[in-house]
C-alpha cells in the first residue's frame, strides 16, 4: 500500500471473501439415561401464566424532516420481571392465591423513512434513511397461581431460603398507529408536506410464564403388559 493511499471503509462492502459447502458429518445417536423413580427433583415449576395489555403513547423526532414512513420493524425486550409472592390474595388457610408482578422493558423500533431532498413540480425524490429508537414501558399485574410459590420461612433463629421466581417471555402482539405531526412545507414547493415528529400509539400484549425452581416428588409408575394391549 502506498504511503499516502486513502482506504475507504466501504470499498469492500458486500464482497464475498470465501464460501464453501460443508459435508454432512457422521454421528452416533445416544439414548438419554435417567434415574428410575421414585425420586425428588429440583425443576422449574410453572406458577402461573398471564397475558398483559400495555397501552403506550410516545412522541419522538427522527433525524431529519421526512416525507413518509416506509416500514417499521419491532422487537420487545424485558428489563425487569419481579414477582412479589405474598402481595395478592391469600386463602383462609394461608395458601397463596395470587401475587403482583412488576414488569418493565422497551420496544426497539427500526424506522425506515423517505426524505424529500429533491422536489420539482411533479417529482419528489430523496433517500431511504433509518432511525432506531427504544420506547420504554412499565406495568404491574396480578398473577393467579396455578401452583403456589414456595416462599422464605422463618422460625426462631432459623431461616429457610427459596429460589426467586422468574419470567419467560412466551409471545408478543403489537397493534399500533403512527401519526405524523408537526408538519413542515417544503421550501420550494408548498404542496409537498414534510413532517418533523411522530406521535405513536401502541397496544402491546405480552404473554408471560412465571416459574420457580421447586423440589418435586416424582413417583415411579409400573405398567403391566396388559395395559399395553388395550
Amino acid at each position: 500500500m502506498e504511503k499516502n493511499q486513502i482506504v475507504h471503509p466501504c470499498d469492500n462492502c458486500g464482497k464475498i471473501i470465501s464460501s464453501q459447502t460443508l459435508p454432512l458429518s457422521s454421528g452416533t445417536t445416544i439414548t438419554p439415561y435417567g434415574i428410575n423413580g421414585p425420586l425428588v427433583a429440583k425443576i422449574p415449576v410453572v406458577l402461573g401464566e398471564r397475558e398483559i395489555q400495555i397501552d403506550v403513547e410516545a412522541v419522538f423526532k427522527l433525524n431529519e424532516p421526512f416525507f413518509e414512513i416506509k416500514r417499521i420493524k419491532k422487537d420487545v425486550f424485558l428489563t425487569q420481571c419481579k414477582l412479589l409472592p405474598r402481595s395478592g390474595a391469600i386463602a383462609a388457610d394461608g395458601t397463596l392465591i395470587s401475587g403482583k408482578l412488576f414488569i418493565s422493558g422497551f420496544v426497539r423500533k427500526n424506522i425506515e423513512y423517505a426524505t424529500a431532498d429533491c422536489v420539482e413540480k411533479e417529482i419528489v425524490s430523496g433517500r431511504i434513511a433509518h432511525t432506531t429508537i427504544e420506547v420504554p414501558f412499565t406495568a404491574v399485574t396480578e398473577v393467579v397461581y396455578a401452583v403456589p410459590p414456595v416462599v422464605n420461612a422463618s422460625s426462631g433463629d432459623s431461616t429457610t431460603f427459596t429460589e426467586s421466581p422468574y419470567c419467560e417471555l412466551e409471545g408478543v402482539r403489537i397493534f399500533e398507529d403512527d401519526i405524523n405531526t408537526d408538519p413542515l412545507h417544503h421550501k420550494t414547493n408548498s404542496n409537498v408536506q414534510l413532517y418533523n415528529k411522530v406521535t405513536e400509539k401502541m397496544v402491546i400484549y405480552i404473554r408471560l410464564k412465571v416459574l420457580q425452581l421447586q423440589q418435586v416428588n416424582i413417583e415411579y409408575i409400573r405398567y403391566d403388559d396388559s395395559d399395553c394391549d388395550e
Side-chain angles (χ1 to χ4, degrees), residues 41-60:
K42 193 170 187 179
I43 58 177
V45 174
V46 178
L47 304 182
E49 190 168 351
R50 181 82 168 172
E51 185 174 67
I52 308 159
Q53 176 183 328
I54 304 173
D55 301 326
V56 178
E57 181 174 288
V59 179
F60 56 87

Side-chain angles (χ1 to χ4, degrees), residues 125-163:
S125 62
R127 298 163 287 110
I128 299 298
H130 74 89
T131 298
T132 299
I133 64 171
E134 294 179 355
V135 181
F137 61 81
T138 184
V140 59
T141 188
E142 188 164 5
V143 176
V144 177
Y145 299 133
V147 176
V150 179
V151 296
N152 294 341
S154 300
S155 59
D157 297 327
S158 176
T159 301
T160 302
F161 295 100
T162 61
E163 300 284 350

Side-chain angles (χ1 to χ4, degrees), residues 86-224:
R86 305 174 191 260
S87 60
I90 302 177
D93 61 357
T95 302
L96 300 179
I97 297 175
S98 65
K100 296 294 178 62
L101 183 69
F102 292 79
I103 67 171
S104 58
F106 59 88
V107 180
R108 178 174 292 163
K109 310 189 74 172
N110 183 269
I111 305 166
E112 296 181 3
Y113 59 94
T115 64
D117 300 330
C118 180
V119 178
E120 298 181 2
K121 184 177 181 181
E122 298 177 351
I123 298 175
V124 178
S125 62
R127 298 163 287 110
I128 299 298
H130 74 89
T131 298
T132 299
I133 64 171
E134 294 179 355
V135 181
F137 61 81
T138 184
V140 59
T141 188
E142 188 164 5
V143 176
V144 177
Y145 299 133
V147 176
V150 179
V151 296
N152 294 341
S154 300
S155 59
D157 297 327
S158 176
T159 301
T160 302
F161 295 100
T162 61
E163 300 284 350
S164 297
Y166 62 96
C167 297
E168 287 186 356
L169 184 61
E170 293 290 305
V172 173
R173 295 182 294 138
I174 299 178
F175 301 92
E176 65 178 348
D177 189 17
D178 297 307
I179 304 171
N180 300 337
T181 57
D182 197 6
L184 306 170
H185 289 293
H186 197 272
K187 295 179 180 180
T188 60
N189 190 336
S190 60
N191 294 323
V192 175
Q193 189 74 70
L194 301 179
Y195 299 93
N196 204 32
K197 293 181 182 178
V198 178
T199 299
E200 179 184 66
K201 302 176 188 295
M202 284 192 298
V203 179
I204 310 168
Y205 291 92
I206 297 177
R207 191 172 75 251
L208 294 168
K209 268 190 174 69
V210 183
L211 305 100
Q212 182 187 40
L213 288 176
Q214 296 185 6
Q215 288 191 179
V216 179
N217 293 320
I218 300 177
E219 298 181 359
Y220 175 69
I221 301 176
R222 182 183 298 276
Y223 292 95
D224 297 331

Side-chain angles (χ1 to χ4, degrees), residues 15-67:
K15 182 179 180 180
I16 297 177
I17 305 301
S18 65
S19 177
Q20 60 179 326
T21 301
L22 300 178
L24 179 66
S25 300
S26 61
T28 303
T29 300
I30 301 174
T31 302
Y33 172 75
I35 301 173
N36 292 329
L39 57 87
V40 177
K42 193 170 187 179
I43 58 177
V45 174
V46 178
L47 304 182
E49 190 168 351
R50 181 82 168 172
E51 185 174 67
I52 308 159
Q53 176 183 328
I54 304 173
D55 301 326
V56 178
E57 181 174 288
V59 179
F60 56 87
K61 294 182 66 173
L62 299 180
N63 291 351
E64 56 193 314
F66 61 95
F67 182 61

